[in-house]
Amino acid sequence: MSKEMRTYDLVVIGGGPAGIVGASVATDSHKSVALVDDHHELGGAGVNTGTVPSKTLRETALALSGLKTRDLCGVDLSLRREATVADFLGHEQHVRAGFNAMIASRLQYHKTDIYCGVASFVDPHTVRLCDAKSRIAGEMQPVHEGETLVYGKSILIATGSSPARPTTFPFGSAEIYDSDTILELDRLPKTLAVVGAGVVGSEYGCTFAALGTQVHIVDGRDSLLPFLDGEVSRALVTGMERHGIIFHWKEEVLACNAAPAGVTLKLSSGPLLTVDAVLVAAGRKSNTDTLSLAVAGVQTGERGLIPVDEYLRTNVPHIYAAGDVIGFPALASTSMEQARRAVRYALGLKVPEFSHLLPNGIYTIPEVSMVGETEESLQKHGVEYIVGRAR
């Protein structure tokens, strides 16, 4: 391609749930839209590395754990050989491929121009696409022949997030995984250490325990999922311990040594923990490293998070952001709603009058339920809440 620039009403960077919904809102309003993603398979982490694969493995694990509880006389339900994770994910590939095809078809039907490449800002309105191999994170390079430039009157950043990788752990070594790579395990480990007792760590810990793995969960706090009601959290711990999961509370991993005989973790209280594999679930960081946001004048915060106002607008008036890239609550459902509202604001469309789904916005909470968020958690994240039913 030449360096000829194409102009759009909206350029969306990121092909996950937020980006797809944002693009659809704009095309439904007869606006020209370009969607940019660095993968040919659209759907983001939810479809390709996170929700769909992990839930497939979880449902398989639940089925297997259910079989183990059946006392059928004379029937052997045990696995005949050492199983791989791939054995449990055969169906997942078909499900994921179906999602990818459906998303691409939907965007094409709405006449969205789809570009595959690594996006970076050339100026506040212009985005450059280049091959992932030729892009160096954080460095601005001249525009070369063969690279594509797109100009957006408005821009939506919806690049999502990736697992954080603390330097304590030698990622790239055998048997050290994060939530994006854990499903690449060659064999189901007999023992697994999960570093981090958050949502991801708890889910994978329970999944592998159901598959027969001895699971150790290491966390620097003294409670599981502290944003939950305390009684619920304690009940979960009791249930997980009943299924053989061992918790190491108030422990930090000071060192990690990967060797052919196993992975050894040195814990802050002194003991060594040796396991077959380690899953590091130490939170996530926004995917903003390659965007050259400074060139566009967009400010970022801790772990690459992009601050936005109540209109999902960054400090640059025509650049908006939605989804995991802006932080809490970082759920697919809220990400899609954020993108829907951001695009409506950006294009001057009517916005429904109900509460904002933002860290610094307002939640309207039904009288009968806190919708999974405790008062303490909402206050911690600076969210104002109103008990009552929205009209």
Side-chain angles (χ1 to χ4, degrees), residues 100-179:
N100 294 147
M102 178 189 67
I103 293 167
S105 176
R106 174 182 174 184
L107 292 171
Q108 289 169 359
Y109 174 80
H110 287 284
K111 295 181 171 57
T112 302
D113 288 345
I114 303 172
Y115 295 88
C116 181
V118 177
S120 59
F121 282 93
V122 175
D123 61 47
H125 281 278
T126 308
V127 175
R128 170 179 56 182
L129 283 70
C130 63
D131 184 90
K133 295 180 181 178
S134 64
R135 176 67 185 158
I136 301 175
E139 292 189 8
M140 185 62 190
Q141 302 172 21
V143 176
H144 297 291
E145 195 72 29
E147 294 179 340
T148 303
L149 298 176
V150 291
Y151 180 97
K153 297 175 184 176
S154 297
I155 295 175
L156 173 66
I157 301 172
T159 47
S161 63
S162 300
R165 289 190 160 194
T167 56
T168 304
F169 302 92
F171 289 96
S173 302
E175 312 309 333
I176 306 293
Y177 301 94
D178 60 26
S179 58

Side-chain angles (χ1 to χ4, degrees), residues 42-281:
L42 297 175
V47 171
N48 297 298
T49 60
T51 304
V52 170
S54 67
K55 297 306 181 287
T56 302
L57 181 61
R58 185 193 68 182
E59 292 305 309
T60 304
L62 288 173
L64 286 177
S65 62
L67 288 176
K68 291 178 181 178
T69 64
R70 295 181 184 176
D71 187 15
L72 299 179
C73 182
V75 178
D76 181 8
L77 296 172
S78 62
L79 293 172
R80 296 293 184 179
R81 59 181 176 80
E82 199 172 349
T84 68
V85 173
D87 290 330
F88 302 109
L89 288 178
H91 182 58
E92 177 270 338
Q93 297 176 5
H94 298 288
V95 174
R96 177 159 49 89
F99 270 107
N100 294 147
M102 178 189 67
I103 293 167
S105 176
R106 174 182 174 184
L107 292 171
Q108 289 169 359
Y109 174 80
H110 287 284
K111 295 181 171 57
T112 302
D113 288 345
I114 303 172
Y115 295 88
C116 181
V118 177
S120 59
F121 282 93
V122 175
D123 61 47
H125 281 278
T126 308
V127 175
R128 170 179 56 182
L129 283 70
C130 63
D131 184 90
K133 295 180 181 178
S134 64
R135 176 67 185 158
I136 301 175
E139 292 189 8
M140 185 62 190
Q141 302 172 21
V143 176
H144 297 291
E145 195 72 29
E147 294 179 340
T148 303
L149 298 176
V150 291
Y151 180 97
K153 297 175 184 176
S154 297
I155 295 175
L156 173 66
I157 301 172
T159 47
S161 63
S162 300
R165 289 190 160 194
T167 56
T168 304
F169 302 92
F171 289 96
S173 302
E175 312 309 333
I176 306 293
Y177 301 94
D178 60 26
S179 58
D180 277 359
T181 61
I182 186 65
L183 300 182
E184 298 173 5
L185 277 164
D186 294 331
R187 297 282 174 183
L188 286 173
K190 293 181 179 179
T191 54
L192 173 71
V194 179
V195 181
V199 174
V200 173
S202 299
E203 181 180 20
Y204 273 116
C206 292
T207 296
F208 279 94
L211 291 172
T213 297
Q214 173 64 72
V215 175
H216 297 260
I217 295 182
V218 181
D219 197 278
R221 298 165 293 187
D222 60 0
S223 63
L224 182 74
L225 304 175
F227 59 85
L228 294 177
D229 177 84
E231 186 176 353
V232 174
S233 176
R234 291 188 293 273
L236 285 173
V237 170
T238 300
M240 293 167 72
E241 289 178 334
R242 188 180 298 122
H243 284 83
I245 295 176
I246 300 172
F247 288 94
H248 302 265
W249 298 116
K250 295 184 178 180
E251 292 280 13
E252 303 289 340
V253 177
L254 301 181
C256 175
N257 179 43
V263 182
T264 301
L265 303 178
K266 181 179 180 181
L267 304 184
S268 53
S269 63
L272 299 177
L273 176 62
T274 301
V275 293
D276 295 330
V278 173
L279 166 62
V280 181

